[in-house]
Amino acid sequence: MLNTATKSEAPGTEQELTDGFHLVIDALKLNGINTIYGVPGIPITDLGRMMQAEGIRVLSFRHEQNAGYAASIAGYLTKKPGVCLTVSAPGFLNGLTALAHATTNCFPMILISGSSEREIVDLQQGDYEEMDQLAVAKPLCKAAFRVLHAADIGIGLARAIRAAVSGRPGGVYLDLPAKLFGQVMDAAAGAKSLVKVIDAAPAQIPAPSAVKRALDVLKAAKRPLIILGKGAAYAQVDDEIRAFVEKSGAPFLQMSMAKGLLPDTHAQSAGAARSTVLKDADVVMLIGARLNWLLSHGKGKTWGDAPKKFIQIDIEPKEMDSNVEIVAPVVGDIGSCVSALLEGMGSSWPAAPADWVSTVNKKRDDNVAKMAPKLMSNASPMDYHGALGALRTIIKERPDAILVNEGANTLDLARGVIDMYKPRKRLDVGTWGVMGIGMGYSIAAAVETGKPVLAIEGDSAFGFSGMEIETICRYQLPVCIVIFNNDGIYRGTDVNAGGSDPATTVFVKGSRYDKMMEAFGGVGINATSPDELKRAVNAAMDSGKPTLINAVIDPAAGSESGRIGNLNPQSVLKKK
Ligand SMILES: Cc1ncc(C[n+]2csc(CCOP(=O)(O)OP(=O)(O)O)c2C)c(N)n1
Ligand SMILES: [Mg+2]
């Protein structure tokens, strides 16, 4: 039912009217966008109220950055653009980090911000929250649009949706000036101006010659390796990907957020033999994974001296040859590409070379065996492995739960230790290694999937979005947050070499984050051993009550920057 109002034009005549507020709402609903993440204020407070009245779910956050991260991951999980709604200038800027993050990570998202009066902004006359938001947003997203006339709202939203989800997905900015909302137009003309986007992300079929070239290279491999990225997880063609990987027989690696696309415990998984397969493989097929810093750009020490041929499957043609030569580029959407590859393999595809497979499997099994005793550690205060050993069992027993993870040691070690069993269940810091996604991701994951969420958070990482625990309690979401509290960033033991202030990486010692949760009516627990931790998480997951567990970790247990300390620049001067 479209929104209308009646207005008497002249005695005896009545005209059905609509306005900008209602056209925005009708356009969103027409395109199946039923959930909005945002923070209210001028000029969008009433818009939020009217959205609620019209049956759209509006989740109101404490800071726009967290609402933005929520929208970004909603886009990843649903393949529909996640929408974040903010006020002008400062609210817009707070949401912008998440929009840039969505673009970098290829998540479809639309940031809709109210903005101030164009006439005053453009003459720089000092309007309330004055800023040329469109210009600021442009370099940080895939596309940016502004709507000035109510009659263009339908087209504006249609363009934003298409830009966000088609081709390589990303962030889109939609600028809605305050005056637009009150603009009135004839209701029938308004209804006609709306656009339902048909086939928003059209299939992109790969060229048959590209598919053949890729299969020829793969077939000739002596030491093949398949790397699955989060683009492969995003595609939601899990069965086809599994069939392709299994038919190839090749060892596979899954990038952080692709973990679980195939179970990490799969016979072909080389997750625990990563350094061996990267060094020794002779043919590497990338599926929805980019050769960026996370894969050491496809060259250097990590990749060893053995010559390599890369096959890459990606929807973005410009991705090819971005770091090293790609001998067999396959451009298209992952679903179409993987189906074409599978078909092209036919019925007599040879098994992967047995000596390579057994070498990789042996290395993997040795490494898994080496780690096993560490995961049994019952030390108190806990070390990372002891605490993660307990959480690993919980995910094994509850494979449908969604795991959100951020921190340095807390991230890198959890990624290695906790096996994932189902696709799109692991949500983490992504391409930038950004801190602050934790609570926004947890909220959106719970809202979009209805599944329980376990957020494993470094104490520093948690601080970036911690106030949203009030939001979690307000909406009564099934989120259990475990804070790995080691008194600081990387470690809680640093000392200031030059004065009496605390070192830059340490926090108040012995903090009790669990008490924060109690302030909002949630469950707060202090856990000092893996057994206590396991009991508390299981209780939270069973009850579905918002819970925060302060897991006390040995402040000396972590290492600088987790697993990526090598990226820190070094001073040429000796340390005093
Ligand atoms: C937005 C942002 N700011 C700063 C950083 C730098 N940084 C990387 S990890 C980290 C926090 C690590 O500490 P914690 O979350 O407590 O994890 P721990 O290693 O102690 O387990 C910070 C601040 C970042 N990645 N992103
Ligand atoms: Mg810490």
Side-chain angles (χ1 to χ4, degrees), residues 5 10 58 132 149 158 170 201 213 290 402 409 515 568 575:
V58 184
D132 186 357
H149 302 294
R213 191 188 296 120
R290 295 171 286 182
I402 295 193
N409 293 279
K515 304 263 185 203
N568 283 304
K575 273 191 189 152

Side-chain angles (χ1 to χ4, degrees), residues 143-162:
F145 306 103
R146 177 186 291 138
V147 182
L148 292 178
H149 302 294
D152 291 332
I153 286 172
I155 288 290
L157 189 72
R159 299 210 71 187
I161 291 171
R162 272 198 193 282

Side-chain angles (χ1 to χ4, degrees), residues 73-346:
I73 209 67
Y76 170 74
L77 289 169
T78 64
K79 300 183 85 177
K80 281 197 302 195
V83 175
C84 175
L85 179 64
T86 78
V87 303
S88 16
F92 156 76
L93 286 173
N94 284 345
L96 200 54
T97 311
L99 189 69
H101 166 83
T103 307
T104 300
N105 283 276
C106 318
F107 300 157
M109 166 181 172
I110 303 174
L111 174 65
I112 301 180
S113 291
S115 59
S116 301
E117 301 309 335
R118 292 253 35 92
E119 295 83 347
I120 306 177
V121 171
D122 288 349
L123 277 171
Q124 299 178 27
Q125 293 175 314
D127 201 5
Y128 168 71
E129 297 193 346
E130 175 178 298
M131 174 173 279
D132 186 357
Q133 295 169 198
L134 188 70
V136 173
K138 259 184 192 160
L140 296 172
C141 57
K142 212 180 148 188
F145 306 103
R146 177 186 291 138
V147 182
L148 292 178
H149 302 294
D152 291 332
I153 286 172
I155 288 290
L157 189 72
R159 299 210 71 187
I161 291 171
R162 272 198 193 282
V165 299
S166 61
R168 171 176 280 178
V172 176
Y173 177 58
L174 188 60
D175 193 271
L176 303 183
K179 264 189 192 165
L180 179 76
F181 296 109
Q183 272 182 35
V184 170
M185 69 181 287
D186 174 70
K192 251 191 166 160
S193 72
L194 301 182
V195 176
K196 184 167 165 56
V197 177
I198 313 286
D199 197 13
Q204 289 181 227
I205 315 287
S209 58
V211 172
K212 182 174 181 314
R213 191 188 296 120
L215 287 175
D216 287 347
V217 175
L218 186 63
K219 203 176 215 169
K222 294 199 170 57
R223 296 181 304 280
L225 170 67
I226 294 173
I227 301 183
L228 302 169
K230 64 180 178 295
Y234 173 81
Q236 298 196 16
V237 288
D238 312 327
D239 293 345
E240 288 85 346
I241 287 175
R242 185 174 184 144
F244 172 74
V245 172
E246 288 182 347
K247 196 160 186 178
S248 80
F252 68 86
L253 285 180
Q254 311 194 91
M255 301 302 287
S256 201
M257 279 177 58
K259 274 167 71 76
L261 191 44
L262 278 79
D264 281 327
T265 48
H266 191 282
Q268 286 166 252
S269 170
R274 188 177 191 272
S275 47
T276 300
V277 288
L278 291 183
K279 265 202 189 71
D280 295 341
D282 66 345
V283 168
V284 180
M285 176 182 258
L286 301 151
I287 305 182
R290 295 171 286 182
L291 279 177
N292 57 19
W293 71 281
L294 288 158
L295 283 170
S296 308
H297 306 282
K299 55 197 169 190
K301 224 171 86 194
T302 310
W303 289 88
D305 300 324
K308 296 208 192 315
K309 288 183 174 170
F310 286 97
I311 307 167
Q312 184 158 27
I313 297 161
D314 203 286
I315 199 161
E316 174 57 62
K318 290 202 298 283
E319 187 60 39
M320 306 300 161
D321 305 326
S322 57
N323 285 273
V324 295
E325 181 193 22
I326 303 298
V327 302
V330 184
V331 175
D333 71 275
I334 302 282
S336 302
C337 291
V338 171
S339 299
L341 287 164
L342 201 50
E343 205 186 310
M345 286 169 119

Side-chain angles (χ1 to χ4, degrees), residues 439 453 455 457 462 469 472 479-483 517 547-549:
M439 298 305 103
V453 176
E457 300 272 312
F462 171 72
I469 58 174
I472 290 168
V479 176
C480 173
I481 304 150
V482 175
I483 297 190
M517 199 64 169
T547 301
L548 190 155
I549 301 161

Side-chain angles (χ1 to χ4, degrees), residues 390-422:
L391 299 177
R392 167 188 159 101
T393 311
I394 288 170
I395 292 293
K396 187 174 181 182
E397 289 164 356
R398 301 170 188 267
D400 279 320
I402 295 193
L403 178 66
V404 172
N405 189 200
E406 61 177 336
N409 293 279
T410 304
L411 175 87
D412 292 345
L413 295 170
R415 183 196 295 121
V417 167
I418 300 181
D419 288 329
M420 303 304 296
Y421 300 86
K422 294 196 173 182

Side-chain angles (χ1 to χ4, degrees), residues 273 356-368:
W356 167 241
V357 170
S358 68
T359 306
V360 173
N361 288 352
K362 178 165 185 329
K363 185 75 196 170
R364 174 195 66 197
D365 295 344
D366 286 354
N367 285 343
V368 168

